[in-house]
Amino acid sequence: MKIIINDSNLYLNKGIKNLLSQCYNSNIEFMLNESDENLKTADVIFFRFNPGDENICHANYFIKRKNSVLIGITDKEPSISKLPKCIINITFLTKNDTVTTLRKKLSLAFKNKEKNRNTNKNNENPCEGCSIKKITTAEFMILNLLYDMSIRQIAEELDIPYKTAFSRKYNMMLKFNLKNKIDLLMFIQKFSQKENFLLSPNDNLYYLIKK
């Protein structure tokens, strides 16, 4: 069994490894990055599901992975109805789950594996009709600078009023359900690692999915 764990928390990684080793007797190979090759061969993919992730595209998991089990590690389980189509079959593990609950969730995820395979075959384009939230060019310019600059510095850098820069940041946090600065910084970090940004239709800057 090949397993990807994409999370920087070493204690969490160790806990997942111990849990899987107890639940399954087969030989387990752990892979610590989501390279194209690893995604193609993984049987299980664990990744950190941060605030805002329910509103952005994760099509790389649909396009590159085989019929693997997708596990999201999160503090609070989001509503399944709000998830993008590309990860609709995800299973969530939360920090409040007991060991018994974790085992039941993992067991159910593996049982649903064949069902998910058929779903994937019938939805070759997961982006079609998906209602994920989009970022405008103006918001993207703010987002691109927020990790290293204050709002006042960004306003000076872009030569726009401070209130305009603040308003764009505030509206973006509302749009992606980011509650505080920590949520925002985690969102920026995750967003910067993605291979595609979806921008509003009226903008002429697009970063397309690399297939």
Side-chain angles (χ1 to χ4, degrees):
M1 183 184 297
K2 294 184 177 182
I3 296 174
I4 293 176
I5 303 180
N6 187 16
D7 192 285
S8 59
N9 188 322
L10 297 179
Y11 294 103
L12 179 62
N13 290 350
K14 186 175 181 180
I16 292 173
K17 290 179 181 179
N18 289 338
L19 178 63
L20 291 172
S21 298
Q22 293 172 18
C23 293
Y24 304 99
N25 296 323
S26 58
N27 292 329
I28 299 177
E29 177 186 346
F30 292 100
M31 303 178 287
L32 299 180
N33 66 75
E34 294 181 350
S35 67
D36 289 357
E37 186 59 33
N38 286 349
L39 284 173
K40 289 177 183 177
T41 60
D43 296 294
V44 188
I45 302 171
F46 288 86
F47 77 103
R48 167 61 65 176
F49 198 88
N50 292 323
D53 278 358
E54 68 272 21
N55 295 314
I56 61 177
C57 181
H58 300 272
N60 59 312
Y61 288 123
F62 188 95
I63 294 168
K64 295 176 182 176
R65 70 187 177 99
K66 63 169 189 176
N67 183 39
S68 51
V69 175
L70 191 61
I71 307 290
I73 304 167
T74 183
D75 292 335
K76 183 180 179 181
E77 187 167 337
S79 171
I80 295 295
S81 63
K82 296 180 180 179
L83 294 177
K85 292 168 62 178
C86 49
I87 57 169
I88 198 66
N89 294 318
I90 191 172
T91 296
F92 287 107
L93 306 183
T94 76
K95 64 180 182 180
N96 295 323
D97 288 337
T98 64
V99 173
T100 300
T101 300
L102 292 174
R103 288 177 174 172
K104 286 181 179 179
K105 285 185 174 181
L106 289 174
S107 177
L108 183 60
F110 277 96
K111 286 181 180 178
N112 289 335
K113 189 175 181 180
E114 189 61 34
K115 177 183 176 181
N116 295 345
R117 183 201 296 271
N118 295 331
T119 300
N120 288 351
K121 285 181 178 179
N122 295 329
N123 293 278
E124 294 182 0
N125 183 6
C127 298
E128 185 176 351
C130 191
S131 59
I132 65 167
K133 302 203 175 154
K134 297 176 173 65
I135 286 184
T136 66
T137 300
E139 291 170 340
F140 174 78
M141 293 173 70
I142 299 290
L143 183 71
N144 199 38
L145 298 173
L146 269 172
Y147 205 84
D148 299 312
M149 294 184 180
S150 67
I151 285 295
R152 192 167 299 280
Q153 290 172 321
I154 292 173
E156 293 174 358
E157 176 73 18
L158 299 179
D159 194 24
I160 59 177
Y162 170 82
K163 288 185 177 180
T164 299
F166 180 86
S167 177
R168 288 175 183 171
K169 172 194 170 185
Y170 179 76
N171 289 336
M172 189 162 48
M173 291 183 70
L174 283 180
K175 182 190 295 185
F176 291 98
N177 197 29
L178 307 175
K179 303 297 185 184
N180 50 50
K181 187 175 181 179
I182 294 176
D183 285 357
L184 177 61
L185 293 178
M186 288 194 298
F187 180 77
I188 293 171
Q189 185 178 31
K190 175 70 72 69
F191 202 85
S192 66
Q193 295 170 351
K194 298 188 74 60
E195 293 182 344
N196 62 297
F197 304 146
L198 294 182
L199 305 182
S200 292
N202 293 332
D203 295 294
N204 56 16
L205 177 61
Y206 286 86
Y207 292 76
L208 301 179
I209 297 169
K210 296 179 182 177
K211 296 186 179 181

